C-alpha cells in the first residue's frame, strides 16, 4: 500500500512539474511575441487588454517606458 501511494505521489509530482514547465515556456513565448511585434500587441489590446497591461508594467519596471507610448501613437495615427 505504501509503495502504491509513493508511486502515485511521484506521478502527481511529475505531472505538476510538466504543467509548470509548460506554463513557464508558454509565458516566455507570449512575452517574446509581444516584445517583438507591435501588431501582435495591438491584437492583444483588443482581445486581452489585461494581459497587455501586465506586459507594459513588466517592461516599465525595467525602465523601458517608450514602448507603450509608441504603440499608442501608432494606433492613434492608424485610426486617422
Amino acid at each position: 500500500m505504501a509503495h502504491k501511494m509513493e508511486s502515485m505521489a511521484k506521478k502527481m509530482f511529475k505531472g505538476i512539474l510538466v504543467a509548470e514547465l509548460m506554463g513557464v515556456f508558454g509565458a516566455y513565448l507570449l512575452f517574446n511575441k509581444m516584445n517583438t511585434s507591435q501588431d501582435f500587441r495591438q491584437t492583444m489590446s483588443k482581445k486581452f487588454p489585461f494581459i497587455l497591461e501586465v506586459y507594459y508594467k513588466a517592461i516599465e519596471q525595467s525602465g523601458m517606458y517608450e514602448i507603450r507610448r509608441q504603440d499608442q501613437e501608432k494606433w492613434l495615427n492608424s485610426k486617422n
Side-chain angles (χ1 to χ4, degrees):
M1 178 83 171
H3 179 67
K4 186 176 181 182
M5 291 290 281
E6 193 174 299
S7 68
M8 189 167 118
K10 282 184 181 180
K11 286 181 183 179
M12 286 179 61
F13 176 76
K14 286 179 184 178
I16 292 170
L17 183 62
V18 167
E20 288 282 333
L21 289 173
M22 287 174 55
V24 168
F25 185 67
Y28 169 77
L29 290 176
L30 181 64
F31 180 85
N32 189 47
K33 182 75 171 176
M34 283 194 292
N35 206 34
T36 57
S37 173
Q38 193 174 41
D39 292 333
F40 184 71
R41 288 194 300 271
Q42 187 172 21
T43 300
M44 292 298 287
S45 75
K46 293 174 183 172
K47 294 183 179 180
F48 304 104
F50 57 95
I51 294 175
L52 184 62
E53 186 62 29
V54 170
Y55 166 77
Y56 283 143
K57 288 192 183 294
I59 61 169
E60 287 170 355
Q61 286 289 322
S62 67
M64 297 172 57
Y65 297 98
E66 69 277 357
I67 293 179
R68 184 192 300 251
R69 183 186 52 77
Q70 290 171 352
D71 287 351
Q72 290 171 343
E73 284 177 5
K74 180 182 178 187
W75 301 338
L76 279 174
N77 290 336
S78 68
K79 287 182 182 179
N80 296 333

